Amino acid sequence: MEFYYYTLFAGIIAIIYALFAAYITLKKDEGNKKMQEIASAIKSGSAAYLNRQLKTIAIFAVILAILFLFLPNGYEITIAFLTGAIASYLTAYLGMNVAVRANVRTAKIAEKGTNAAFKTAVIGGSVTGFAAVGFGLIGLSLLIMYLTISKVEILIGFGFGASLVSLFARVGGGIYTKAADVGADLVGKTELNLPEDDPRNPAVIADNVGDNVGDCAGMSADVFESYAVTLVAALLIAYGISHASVINFAYPLYVASIGVISSLLALLFIDVKGENATLALYKGIGSAVIIAAILDFALTWYLSLPLTYFYSVFSGLVLAILLFWITDYYTGRGKKAVVKVANAAKGGGGTDVIMGLAVGLRTTWFPAVVIAIAIFVSYISAGLYGIGIAAAGMLSLTATILTIDSFGPITDNAGGIAEMAGLQEHIRKVTDKLDAIGNTTKATTKGFAIGGAALSATALFVAFAEAVGLSSIDALNSIVTIGIFIGAMMPFIFSSFLMEAVGKAANLMVEEVRRQVKTIKGLLQGKAKPDYARAVDIATVNALKALVIPELIAILTPIVIGLILGKEALGGLLVGMIPASFMLALFMANSGATMDNAKKYIEEGHFGGKGSDAHKAAVIGDTVGDPLKDTAGPALNSMIKVVSTISILLAPVFMAYTLL
Amino acid sequence: MEFYYYTLFAGIIAIIYALFAAYITLKKDEGNKKMQEIASAIKSGSAAYLNRQLKTIAIFAVILAILFLFLPNGYEITIAFLTGAIASYLTAYLGMNVAVRANVRTAKIAEKGTNAAFKTAVIGGSVTGFAAVGFGLIGLSLLIMYLTISKVEILIGFGFGASLVSLFARVGGGIYTKAADVGADLVGKTELNLPEDDPRNPAVIADNVGDNVGDCAGMSADVFESYAVTLVAALLIAYGISHASVINFAYPLYVASIGVISSLLALLFIDVKGENATLALYKGIGSAVIIAAILDFALTWYLSLPLTYFYSVFSGLVLAILLFWITDYYTGRGKKAVVKVANAAKGGGGTDVIMGLAVGLRTTWFPAVVIAIAIFVSYISAGLYGIGIAAAGMLSLTATILTIDSFGPITDNAGGIAEMAGLQEHIRKVTDKLDAIGNTTKATTKGFAIGGAALSATALFVAFAEAVGLSSIDALNSIVTIGIFIGAMMPFIFSSFLMEAVGKAANLMVEEVRRQVKTIKGLLQGKAKPDYARAVDIATVNALKALVIPELIAILTPIVIGLILGKEALGGLLVGMIPASFMLALFMANSGATMDNAKKYIEEGHFGGKGSDAHKAAVIGDTVGDPLKDTAGPALNSMIKVVSTISILLAPVFMAYTLL
């Protein structure tokens, strides 16, 4: 039997599980009328955003699809491209639609205690995780089945489809979620002294919608993209190195298929013993890694492949664990660095932010060192191919990581619904606790997403060099140097637009909230309902408006550089961009997470607790950190992959036409 | 006559002018007893810091000098190293010692109007500028005279000596100045509502000392370093390409000598017509560039060298102007981006900082593009040698740039002295205006310093490749990839320590100020004098304490990578580090400058003016921006040059011994 039947089968299993998990979730009790009402507002806001975002993506996708028809093998590439885009959107759609139903069910079942609520949120989250790997494997397997292996370069279309959707979902979702969050907090908490998720805050529904479109849909598109492009990169490298060897071609897909099994088994280990739910989630990841390592070893042995292949895959798995650990070490609740930032808040908002940025900058060193080691180990084990399969090994954890990540927005929403619906104290305690766990795991999975993006971009870089036929990219060549400088600049200018968009949209949100408080009588007394839809609309419109420029920067820069300066300069661009973007993303994401948790640390009663001057200072730090960690930082992941995939996709063009 | 007599002569002219300018400055009236008292406190604080810093440097320098003796040509290298270090320190010493005397004289003469005060500050500042180029040219000429051209690699010792001093001066001075500034502001302005430079603030002298040790001594060491290493890099490249050609060797030194003449002539154009003093300073730079371009053209023609050499030099000159312009465009007073940040301050400290960071990120694109173009133009004009002479062209403006830069701390101090001595309103108006101009020019000269550092580091990178005998540095080689990742990480981890040091030291300063306000009776009523010396001591001790780790990171990382992974990895490290550091430095320096000017814009009466909520928010932004723009950002300049020079210096070691 051809190898792609096996991988198709693995993908189908993943989808069956995802549907099963969705079924279980939907069967659960969705609580009283008030809860359903709130949940329905979140649900329809999220769906409305995803639909409108789809329209914007569709415009870009259609234009690109038409242009791709002019490429060699244009017809096949266009099909692959649309398949990738659809697979990515299906993942986000299915995952998020279950998440916005799992939230209220988690809130409801929380009356039965932490354990039950925890499980509901995990199962709800697992839909996203398994949908991602399922659609990824099915899409790739079908393409390989119906196209032909000798036209492997077509597969990059699939990767680019995933990339395009991811770029939109990350950028749009990121701006949406933080415009709503920052806007809601600035007036709600600071001016009106309302608690988080207070139903009197007009932006509260938008805030909860943001969790879904940003942390759930955006993150799933990002990791799906890493998954897809990593596999494509590995296939391209395999093909470039040994045209004839089907086994080298199949191996990374097998590793990914093993990921389905190990992630399914790992679900059994994600359970709460006593009260430590964080530990439960980490057990999940740990077991997924161990099971995957054992099965990957067995696979390599069974196929009689060199054991060095396994070493490469293993280095990817270890990298994932280490990135998880270091993020937690620096940004986890109550960790030394977090307390340091909280302590600095005593000096005011300025010193809080200074120290928060210092911690974020600090967090780059360990990931940089371990990713360098992983690249080196995989390279000396199996050459450039080793880098591809190391990335495949790391990304084979996708289902588990996304499960744990989607747990975040579900519990966050559950907490919000419990608060807004005025559920009893003991229930809200449960949802608050889960929400807190979700916050930590969201931060740590972000470390994985950033590392995964960097490693898969490195694999894509190798694939790019093969695609354009470069056997070396020499930094002493000044045309390459130009590319390096432009590339290193890209993450900075790209995130500039995102930061600005959040700042602007948050300000509009602030004005709208202030307006509603002023004009709707009885709002603050809880006698009149705010106009939630208006706030949802502001976040939606502004996120979509702010999408365009960053998208164009990411898509057009490599095209312009490639057409004017040629393939060497474009190679230089990737060389400059990938590491700079990796560091900037780590800096941003971890600064934000640390300042967030420093605020929470103070809220737990340290340094004066809630309402103290230190708390006010920490709230400022949290506000600054919000777009850093949830908008700009994560969007860089998508940017580097889009730039890398389009560079490969247009390789034939750059080889044929160049100005210089 | 040998060429080095000409360049020696140019250096001597520069020093004669510097001494003459110092003499003119010292002859001026130093005001009443109270002014002298204040100035004397600043003077002794500054001198004390520089002396104590010297001791720390001496320890490092002696250890390194001994180790260098073991290198091939160790004896000569050690001499060159010590010459470079001494020349750099002499520049900082002479420049700063005149600056701390020019400040009070500027304050005194301000009673005669803007014009007189402006001239006094410019002449005082020009001492630093001409001392730098003078000591640079004399040092290099003497070394070439007494050593031999065939041992040109020895000259890198001179560059490293300058680098070492610069690293200490930038890091130490940067931490000092911002610990004092932030500390003074946090309690003084925010808690006690004291105006800037109020004599009742115990940290006010430390704040003024900081301007001198940071903006004057630190900046002069930084630009001196760029000047020195650029010339050395150009000489190394020239030698590597054409051993025998004395003219290629002399050319960059001639270009630098022309810089002395053009900078001297440019002084004539720096005068105030009407009231526009900013314009006067910019006229100075513009005229320096035009004169230099004409003379460089004449030189190239006279020496019958290819005109392409001139194109390279010219691209360096144009780059300097463009970097000046773009910094002003984004961060200048009342500019669009600044107003945007000020407007965001209405939403609170959080949105102010978000927008400030967005602007800082945005500022990277233009410098990245123009430096890429400059590198490319100079390369296609004259090959790798072109990059070296382009850098020499840019840095030939050093005397003018440092003159304009040192104008900043002098007028800043003059404003402080006028305020503390309670001079009349109309005098303080003059000093305030000059102070404001100094703030803008300080920001724009920083753009030059960052660009100069990046370009000279690029030239050093080329020289490094020659020194270790690499004809290509291939980013597809995974050992190079490791280096790239580590290199891109270095600026992040390095600045992390600086940000943290400022945060910590500022907190200690805050505590000390609070303590004095509490324990010294009658302090706030102006009846008792604060203990200024204690505050000065805190800044001094903490700056020196925080020096060590960042120094070790900068010096040891390239050594460790070179010894363990070898020269290719070290080349990769430079490839990753230089552009990432360039972008990060621009982002940091410009974010800070924009938030600073946004605060000032509000203080001018916009968005509610002083004391409004927007103003409080902008003060927070300014606090965050302080260490970004004056500590971490500029220190990156020194870091990349230290890393580059030590990599070249130890090239023979890396070629002989490597673990892998």
Side-chain angles (χ1 to χ4, degrees):
Chain A
M1 199 159 71
E2 298 285 355
F3 70 90
Y4 38 74
Y5 289 112
Y6 294 105
T7 57
L8 180 66
F9 182 66
I12 291 171
I13 287 182
I15 294 298
I16 290 174
Y17 168 79
L19 294 174
F20 173 69
Y23 171 74
I24 292 182
T25 304
L26 296 181
K27 245 184 32 190
K28 295 222 160 109
D29 185 356
E30 44 182 331
N32 62 35
K33 199 163 157 270
K34 185 146 192 209
M35 290 164 74
Q36 291 182 35
E37 219 179 274
I38 299 163
S40 152
I42 299 175
K43 202 160 58 188
S44 62
S46 307
Y49 179 75
L50 230 56
N51 287 334
R52 288 178 67 168
Q53 188 176 265
L54 181 58
K55 279 182 206 155
T56 317
I57 299 181
I59 297 171
F60 270 73
V62 168
I63 295 173
L64 288 168
I66 293 171
L67 291 176
F68 291 161
L69 286 175
F70 295 95
L71 288 173
N73 299 317
Y75 174 69
E76 288 97 332
I77 285 180
T78 304
I79 289 178
F81 165 62
L82 294 175
T83 312
I86 291 167
S88 173
Y89 220 76
L90 271 181
T91 300
Y93 212 78
L94 178 61
M96 199 194 74
N97 269 307
V98 173
V100 294
R101 287 166 175 85
N103 53 13
V104 63
R105 290 160 171 88
T106 302
K108 171 66 188 161
I109 212 167
E111 64 190 27
K112 292 192 188 158
T114 308
N115 226 321
F118 177 82
K119 271 189 187 152
T120 307
V122 168
I123 293 174
S126 70
V127 175
T128 310
F130 285 86
V133 297
F135 288 127
L137 282 174
I138 292 174
L140 275 174
S141 304
L142 288 178
L143 283 173
I144 295 172
M145 197 178 300
Y146 284 105
L147 305 170
T148 138
I149 294 190
S150 67
K151 283 188 187 168
V152 56
E153 67 274 18
I154 290 161
L155 292 178
I156 194 67
F158 184 81
F160 182 69
S163 286
L164 188 76
V165 171
S166 160
L167 188 61
F168 277 89
R170 262 301 190 201
V171 173
I175 295 172
Y176 187 114
T177 179
K178 290 302 121 172
D181 187 10
V182 170
D185 284 0
L186 281 180
V187 198
K189 288 191 192 167
T190 317
E191 290 180 19
L192 306 174
N193 261 318
L194 301 175
E196 175 89 24
D197 290 323
D198 190 291
R200 291 168 296 174
N201 190 331
V204 71
I205 294 291
D207 186 11
N208 277 281
V209 170
D211 292 332
N212 291 303
V213 301
D215 295 337
C216 184
M219 176 76 170
S220 80
D222 176 4
V223 178
F224 176 82
E225 177 196 17
S226 285
Y227 188 74
V229 301
T230 293
L231 292 178
V232 170
L235 297 177
L236 292 181
I237 299 172
Y239 186 74
I241 288 169
S242 50
H243 287 232
S245 165
V246 174
I247 192 66
N248 276 348
F249 200 75
Y251 186 70
L253 288 170
Y254 284 153
V255 167
S257 304
I258 281 176
V260 175
I261 305 169
S262 63
S263 294
L264 274 174
L265 291 175
L267 282 177
L268 303 173
F269 292 89
I270 310 183
D271 64 345
V272 212
K273 282 268 160 20
E275 292 292 88
N276 200 334
T278 310
L279 186 68
L281 292 170
Y282 290 161
K283 274 197 315 198
I285 293 175
S287 52
V289 166
I290 292 169
I291 298 167
I294 293 170
L295 293 178
D296 287 330
F297 179 81
L299 170 81
T300 317
W301 176 80
Y302 176 77
L303 296 174
S304 311
L305 287 166
L307 218 57
T308 49
Y309 283 19
F310 169 70
Y311 300 153
S312 295
V313 172
F314 189 64
S315 69
L317 290 169
V318 172
L319 176 62
I321 284 281
L322 289 176
L323 290 178
F324 236 80
W325 170 76
I326 193 69
T327 314
D328 187 55
Y329 176 82
Y330 276 115
T331 70
R333 310 199 96 192
K335 287 289 154 69
K336 219 176 87 190
V338 170
V339 176
K340 203 155 69 175
V341 175
N343 185 42
K346 289 192 295 182
T351 44
D352 179 83
V353 176
I354 290 175
M355 207 52 106
L357 297 179
V359 170
L361 291 163
R362 186 76 50 91
T363 61
T364 54
W365 81 268
F366 186 82
V369 169
V370 292
I371 207 169
I373 293 175
I375 290 172
F376 186 65
V377 168
S378 56
Y379 178 78
I380 53 166
S381 299
L384 292 173
Y385 181 62
I387 296 176
I389 52 178
M394 181 177 182
L395 269 303
S396 74
L397 300 170
T398 291
T400 303
I401 301 288
L402 276 182
T403 300
I404 290 173
D405 177 74
S406 301
F407 175 88
I410 292 174
T411 52
D412 192 324
N413 269 223
I417 293 169
E419 179 82 28
M420 285 186 268
L423 297 191
Q424 287 161 289
E425 182 68 22
H426 77 276
I427 301 178
R428 271 160 44 201
K429 261 202 171 152
V430 170
T431 55
D432 280 357
K433 211 176 74 188
L434 293 182
D435 182 12
I437 294 164
N439 271 321
T440 310
T441 54
K442 261 193 309 196
T444 46
T445 50
K446 222 170 273 164
F448 173 89
I450 295 171
L455 193 58
S456 69
T458 305
L460 287 168
F461 167 66
V462 173
F464 165 80
E466 280 179 7
V468 294
L470 285 174
S471 60
S472 86
I473 292 176
D474 178 13
L476 283 170
N477 178 346
S478 90
I479 199 96
V480 174
T481 309
I482 297 185
I484 293 176
F485 271 94
I486 305 286
M489 173 268 285
M490 279 193 75
F492 288 82
I493 183 87
F494 182 80
S495 35
S496 160
F497 282 95
L498 301 197
M499 294 291 286
E500 188 180 349
V502 171
K504 272 189 191 163
N507 257 343
L508 293 175
M509 189 64 85
V510 165
E511 280 167 25
E512 172 61 20
V513 173
R514 281 185 190 148
R515 188 193 66 76
Q516 290 199 22
V517 169
K518 224 178 180 171
T519 56
I520 301 178
K521 273 175 200 155
L523 180 75
L524 287 183
Q525 292 74 42
K527 287 174 195 155
K529 262 180 85 174
D531 183 357
Y532 297 130
R534 212 30 215 282
V536 167
D537 200 54
I538 287 178
T540 304
V541 170
N542 283 287
L544 292 176
K545 215 162 62 178
L547 267 177
V548 182
I549 293 182
E551 305 292 318
L552 290 178
I553 291 176
I555 296 173
L556 292 182
T557 310
I559 298 182
V560 170
I561 295 290
L563 286 179
I564 296 181
L565 301 176
K567 54 191 184 176
E568 267 110 350
L570 188 51
L573 184 137
L574 299 179
V575 172
M577 178 188 69
I578 296 167
S581 186
F582 180 54
M583 305 308 154
L584 196 61
L586 287 166
F587 158 53
M588 289 178 155
N590 293 334
S591 295
T594 309
M595 290 192 272
D596 184 2
N597 276 333
K599 183 196 71 175
K600 285 182 179 132
Y601 184 76
I602 292 176
E603 286 173 352
E604 285 165 9
H606 304 277
F607 302 125
K610 264 193 181 176
S612 64
D613 281 346
H615 183 238
K616 275 178 202 146
V619 168
I620 292 174
D622 182 38
T623 306
V624 173
D626 266 338
L628 287 174
K629 78 177 198 298
D630 289 323
T631 313
L636 291 173
N637 298 344
S638 303
M639 185 200 75
I640 59 172
K641 287 173 286 179
V642 163
V643 173
S644 306
T645 45
I646 198 152
S647 301
I648 302 177
L649 192 60
L650 300 183
V653 181
F654 302 138
M655 290 175 76
Y657 317 95
T658 295
L659 197 68
L660 283 181
Chain B
M1 200 161 67
E2 299 286 355
F3 71 91
Y4 39 74
Y5 288 112
Y6 295 104
T7 56
L8 181 65
F9 182 66
I12 291 171
I13 287 182
I15 295 297
I16 290 174
Y17 168 78
L19 293 174
F20 173 68
Y23 171 74
I24 292 182
T25 305
L26 296 181
K27 245 183 33 192
K28 296 221 160 112
D29 186 355
E30 44 183 332
N32 64 32
K33 202 166 154 266
K34 186 145 191 210
M35 290 165 73
Q36 291 183 36
E37 221 179 272
I38 298 162
S40 151
I42 299 173
K43 202 160 61 186
S44 62
S46 307
Y49 179 75
L50 230 55
N51 288 332
R52 287 179 68 169
Q53 188 175 265
L54 182 58
K55 279 183 205 153
T56 317
I57 300 180
I59 295 171
F60 269 73
V62 168
I63 294 173
L64 289 167
I66 293 171
L67 290 177
F68 292 161
L69 286 174
F70 293 95
L71 289 172
N73 301 316
Y75 174 68
E76 289 96 332
I77 285 179
T78 304
I79 289 178
F81 165 63
L82 294 175
T83 311
I86 291 167
S88 172
Y89 219 76
L90 270 180
T91 301
Y93 211 78
L94 179 59
M96 199 193 75
N97 269 306
V98 174
V100 294
R101 286 166 177 84
N103 53 12
V104 65
R105 289 160 172 89
T106 301
K108 171 66 186 162
I109 213 167
E111 64 191 27
K112 293 189 191 160
T114 308
N115 225 322
F118 178 82
K119 271 190 188 153
T120 307
V122 168
I123 293 175
S126 70
V127 176
T128 309
F130 286 86
V133 297
F135 287 127
L137 281 174
I138 294 174
L140 275 174
S141 304
L142 288 179
L143 282 174
I144 296 172
M145 196 180 299
Y146 284 106
L147 304 169
T148 139
I149 296 189
S150 66
K151 282 188 188 169
V152 57
E153 67 273 18
I154 290 160
L155 291 178
I156 194 66
F158 183 80
F160 183 69
S163 287
L164 188 75
V165 170
S166 160
L167 188 61
F168 277 88
R170 264 300 190 202
V171 173
I175 296 172
Y176 188 115
T177 180
K178 290 302 122 171
D181 188 9
V182 172
D185 285 0
L186 280 180
V187 196
K189 289 191 194 166
T190 318
E191 289 180 18
L192 307 174
N193 262 319
L194 300 175
E196 175 87 26
D197 289 323
D198 191 290
R200 290 168 295 174
N201 190 333
V204 71
I205 295 291
D207 186 10
N208 277 281
V209 170
D211 292 332
N212 292 303
V213 302
D215 296 336
C216 184
M219 177 76 169
S220 80
D222 176 3
V223 179
F224 176 81
E225 177 197 15
S226 285
Y227 188 74
V229 301
T230 293
L231 292 177
V232 170
L235 297 176
L236 292 181
I237 298 171
Y239 186 74
I241 288 169
S242 51
H243 287 231
S245 164
V246 174
I247 193 65
N248 275 348
F249 201 75
Y251 186 70
L253 287 170
Y254 284 152
V255 168
S257 303
I258 280 176
V260 175
I261 305 168
S262 63
S263 294
L264 273 174
L265 292 174
L267 282 177
L268 302 173
F269 292 88
I270 310 183
D271 63 345
V272 211
K273 283 268 161 18
E275 290 292 87
N276 199 334
T278 309
L279 185 68
L281 292 170
Y282 290 161
K283 274 198 315 197
I285 293 176
S287 52
V289 166
I290 293 168
I291 299 167
I294 295 169
L295 294 178
D296 287 330
F297 179 80
L299 170 81
T300 316
W301 177 79
Y302 177 76
L303 295 175
S304 312
L305 286 168
L307 218 58
T308 50
Y309 283 19
F310 169 70
Y311 300 152
S312 295
V313 172
F314 188 64
S315 69
L317 289 170
V318 172
L319 176 62
I321 285 280
L322 289 176
L323 290 178
F324 237 80
W325 169 77
I326 192 70
T327 314
D328 187 54
Y329 176 83
Y330 276 116
T331 71
R333 310 198 98 193
K335 289 287 155 68
K336 218 176 88 189
V338 169
V339 176
K340 201 154 70 175
V341 175
N343 185 42
K346 289 191 295 182
T351 45
D352 180 83
V353 176
I354 290 175
M355 208 51 107
L357 297 179
V359 170
L361 290 163
R362 186 76 51 90
T363 62
T364 54
W365 83 267
F366 187 81
V369 170
V370 292
I371 207 168
I373 294 175
I375 290 172
F376 186 65
V377 168
S378 56
Y379 178 79
I380 54 166
S381 299
L384 291 173
Y385 181 62
I387 296 175
I389 53 180
M394 180 177 183
L395 269 302
S396 74
L397 300 170
T398 291
T400 304
I401 301 288
L402 275 182
T403 299
I404 290 173
D405 178 75
S406 301
F407 175 87
I410 292 173
T411 51
D412 191 325
N413 268 223
I417 292 169
E419 179 80 29
M420 285 186 268
L423 297 191
Q424 287 160 289
E425 182 69 22
H426 77 277
I427 302 180
R428 269 160 45 200
K429 260 202 172 152
V430 171
T431 55
D432 279 357
K433 210 176 72 185
L434 293 182
D435 182 11
I437 295 165
N439 270 320
T440 310
T441 54
K442 261 193 310 197
T444 46
T445 50
K446 221 170 275 164
F448 174 88
I450 294 171
L455 193 58
S456 69
T458 306
L460 287 168
F461 167 66
V462 173
F464 164 81
E466 280 180 8
V468 294
L470 285 174
S471 60
S472 86
I473 292 177
D474 178 12
L476 283 170
N477 178 346
S478 91
I479 199 95
V480 174
T481 309
I482 297 186
I484 292 176
F485 271 94
I486 304 285
M489 172 269 284
M490 279 193 74
F492 289 82
I493 183 88
F494 182 79
S495 34
S496 159
F497 282 96
L498 300 197
M499 294 291 286
E500 188 181 348
V502 171
K504 271 190 191 164
N507 258 343
L508 292 174
M509 190 64 85
V510 166
E511 279 167 25
E512 172 60 19
V513 172
R514 282 185 189 149
R515 189 194 64 79
Q516 289 199 24
V517 170
K518 222 172 163 184
T519 57
I520 301 178
K521 275 174 198 153
L523 180 73
L524 287 183
Q525 292 74 40
K527 287 176 194 156
K529 263 181 80 173
D531 184 357
Y532 297 128
R534 210 34 213 280
V536 168
D537 201 53
I538 285 177
T540 306
V541 169
N542 283 287
L544 292 175
K545 218 164 58 181
L547 267 178
V548 181
I549 293 181
E551 306 291 320
L552 291 178
I553 290 176
I555 296 173
L556 292 182
T557 310
I559 299 182
V560 169
I561 295 290
L563 286 179
I564 296 181
L565 301 175
K567 55 193 183 177
E568 267 112 350
L570 188 52
L573 184 137
L574 299 179
V575 172
M577 177 188 70
I578 295 168
S581 186
F582 180 53
M583 306 308 156
L584 196 61
L586 288 167
F587 158 53
M588 288 178 157
N590 294 335
S591 296
T594 310
M595 290 192 272
D596 184 3
N597 276 332
K599 183 196 70 176
K600 285 182 181 133
Y601 184 76
I602 292 177
E603 284 172 354
E604 284 165 11
H606 304 278
F607 303 124
K610 263 193 182 177
S612 64
D613 280 348
H615 183 239
K616 276 180 200 143
V619 167
I620 291 174
D622 182 39
T623 306
V624 173
D626 266 339
L628 287 174
K629 78 178 198 297
D630 290 323
T631 313
L636 290 173
N637 298 344
S638 303
M639 185 201 75
I640 60 173
K641 288 173 285 180
V642 163
V643 173
S644 307
T645 45
I646 198 151
S647 300
I648 302 177
L649 192 60
L650 300 184
V653 180
F654 301 139
M655 290 175 76
Y657 318 93
T658 296
L659 198 65
L660 284 181

